Structure formats: structure tokens, C-alpha cells
Amino acid sequence: MSMKVLLCGVGGQGTILAAHVLAQTALECGQQVKVSEIHGMAQRGGAVTTDVAFGDRVESMVCDAGSADVVVAFELIEAMRNLPMLKAGGTMVASDEVIKPASVLTGKAPLPHDARGWLIERGALLVPAHATAVEAGNARVSNMVMLGALSALLAFDAQAWERTVSAFVPPKTIEANLAAFRAGRAFVSEKVM
């Protein structure tokens, strides 16, 4: 049995780092792991997706439409775009942040109307990742808020997660990253209990 997690966001949000922490935590917990990344125009604010599959035996890391057990979206528009990847009965956790794409900034396209409401109607759990990261002491650690939110949905040991986070982030940011991770975990734990 394996599980597929799709992490999606915009270049610069730390989705790839979060995916690597997830993969390493799964490995540390004795799981087989496969990862696939799509960077796109990540350096220019383009879409970034990473598929992480783990379990006792993993056949493929590719996440086709309707096959993700969990979608973790670091931004609302990417959440809307990647909702079709979620399988029936799956879980979407999305940051409530909107990052305007170039087409919106240049006036070529409008922002989707009421993205938050649309996602909530479809069962998404919205996380105030940016505000939580600011409370944790560093606005740049919202990716760890989202990773913490994901961790509340998976059976991996919390200490294994924290060891991996500590190993992957710059030493001077460990405390802020761990605070953000714990806050995201607590937020989702309260919502799903």
C-alpha cells in the first residue's frame, strides 16, 4: 500500500524543500519513497509541483488526475488548479494566501472570484500559513506551516519530522522553522479532531 502527496505552489515558496523533508521523514520511518518534481518557470513565480509517493512498496511517483491522497497547496490559485489531482475521499490542505500570477498583474486575466469559498465548498482545509509564519517569527517559513499541517494527517512520528526539518533548513533558522511547523501541525490537529 502506498500514499501519494502532491505539493503545489509558486516558485520561491519552498514547496520543493517541503517535499524533500516529507520524503526524508518517510525514509526515516521505514517507507519506500519516490519523488518527482516539476519546476516550470519557478524562478519567475511560475507553478511548482512535486509528487511524493511513499509506503511499503511504491510502484510509481507520478500523480495523475484523481490519484493524490493529499494535495498540499501553498497558494489558493494553485489549490484550485490542482484540485482535480485529488482522488475521491482525499484531503486538500491549502494556504489561504493568494499570489497574483503575471497574467493578473498585467491585467490580462482576473483573479478567480471567491477562491476561498470555492475551495471550502469542495472540502479544502484552509490554513493561515503566512499569518502563522509571521507569528512564528519569520514570514518566509510559511512552507513549514504547511508541512506541519500535512504532518498532522500522516502517521509519521512528530520527532522524526522535527529531526528532518532541523537537518534541512539553515542552522540560524531552525527555531523559526520548527515553531512554524508545530503551529501548522497544531492548527490542523485541532480542525480534524
Side-chain angles (χ1 to χ4, degrees):
M1 175 111 180
S2 67
M3 180 173 224
K4 289 185 180 180
V5 176
L6 171 69
L7 295 100
C8 58
V10 174
Q13 287 191 289
T15 57
I16 294 172
L17 172 63
H20 288 213
V21 171
L22 167 59
Q24 186 60 41
T25 301
L27 281 170
E28 185 175 323
C29 293
Q31 301 288 295
Q32 188 179 88
V33 179
K34 292 187 180 179
V35 179
S36 174
E37 299 171 0
I38 299 174
H39 300 265
M41 296 290 285
Q43 291 181 323
R44 296 187 182 169
V48 177
T49 59
T50 306
D51 304 326
V52 181
F54 54 88
D56 295 330
R57 188 172 141 209
V58 178
E59 297 288 327
S60 171
M61 78 297 241
V62 176
C63 189
D64 295 318
S67 69
D69 295 285
V70 180
V71 173
V72 180
F74 289 61
E75 191 272 338
L76 281 179
I77 296 170
E78 288 302 309
M80 294 176 76
R81 196 170 69 76
N82 284 283
L83 186 62
M85 304 306 281
L86 193 63
K87 73 182 193 181
T91 303
M92 173 173 273
V93 181
S95 170
D96 68 355
E97 181 177 11
V98 173
I99 297 175
K100 293 179 181 177
S103 60
V104 171
L105 292 172
T106 60
K108 292 182 180 177
L111 273 176
H113 176 70
D114 192 22
R116 289 173 180 86
W118 188 87
L119 286 163
I120 290 169
E121 284 177 9
R122 286 151 181 81
L125 175 59
L126 299 187
V127 178
H130 179 75
T132 303
V134 170
E135 286 178 22
N138 186 337
R140 296 184 54 148
V141 296
S142 62
N143 62 334
M144 289 300 144
V145 174
M146 294 308 297
L147 192 63
L150 171 64
S151 78
L153 304 173
L154 302 177
F156 302 142
D157 179 66
Q159 291 181 341
W161 281 105
E162 292 195 13
R163 281 191 301 273
T164 307
V165 168
S166 297
F168 274 71
V169 300
K172 65 183 178 185
T173 69
I174 289 173
E175 287 309 312
N177 277 283
L178 288 176
F181 175 86
R182 292 171 184 146
R185 185 176 175 93
F187 180 85
V188 170
S189 293
E190 290 173 15
K191 296 287 182 188
V192 296
M193 294 294 172

